[in-house]
Amino acid sequence: MSSPIVQYDELKKLGAEGKYRFTISLALFETINNLPGIEANGKILLFSLLAYPIGYAMSEHELLLVSGMNERTLIRQRKKLAELGYIKYTPYKEYYIDIDAITDAAAEVWFSVKILKG
């Protein structure tokens, strides 16, 4: 039995010219999807933040629209990600996504699982 092949209209995926495009390495995408200790909404928040280029001034309203979260969920997930060290948030100033902390946390889990399995 063969594996299914992913198909889609690439022009529709990339969107209109001049718009921001969501690009992320497959390795980072997989790492975020397998992060321990965060809910799906936390992962969506990370992906939403990573969808924009460095230096982009994203309003709270825009982040709510992009992520699909309500304000309370956004605040809760932002707090959880900050506690875990995956982001640093300075209100009305910046979001800093600590990709090293994300990959280190995933590596720790992978290493722990590898040791347990032998």
Side-chain angles (χ1 to χ4, degrees), residues 62-108:
E62 183 176 358
L63 186 54
L64 290 169
L65 289 174
V66 168
S67 68
M69 293 180 209
N70 63 42
E71 189 173 4
R72 292 182 75 179
T73 301
L74 173 66
I75 291 168
R76 188 175 61 251
Q77 294 305 318
R78 183 172 53 210
K79 181 180 177 185
K80 180 69 173 175
L81 292 173
E83 287 171 358
L84 292 169
Y86 301 150
I87 67 169
K88 293 175 181 72
Y89 173 66
T90 307
Y92 307 106
K93 191 164 183 180
E94 90 174 336
Y95 280 96
Y96 175 77
I97 300 96
D98 193 339
I99 295 174
D100 289 333
I102 291 168
T103 54
D104 289 350
E108 275 184 36

Side-chain angles (χ1 to χ4, degrees), residues 13-22 51-53 56 62:
K13 176 190 173 243
L14 294 176
E17 194 171 323
K19 296 280 186 178
Y20 293 108
R21 298 178 181 170
F22 184 83
Y52 289 89
Y56 181 81
E62 183 176 358

Side-chain angles (χ1 to χ4, degrees), residues 17-76:
E17 194 171 323
K19 296 280 186 178
Y20 293 108
R21 298 178 181 170
F22 184 83
T23 56
I24 186 171
S25 75
L26 187 56
L28 182 56
F29 186 83
E30 181 181 353
T31 299
I32 291 170
N33 273 328
N34 290 295
L35 275 175
I38 61 172
E39 302 171 13
N41 279 329
K43 295 170 187 181
I44 289 170
L45 179 54
L46 283 173
F47 289 132
S48 298
L49 292 168
L50 288 166
Y52 289 89
I54 293 171
Y56 181 81
M58 185 182 338
S59 69
E60 194 87 347
H61 179 72
E62 183 176 358
L63 186 54
L64 290 169
L65 289 174
V66 168
S67 68
M69 293 180 209
N70 63 42
E71 189 173 4
R72 292 182 75 179
T73 301
L74 173 66
I75 291 168
R76 188 175 61 251

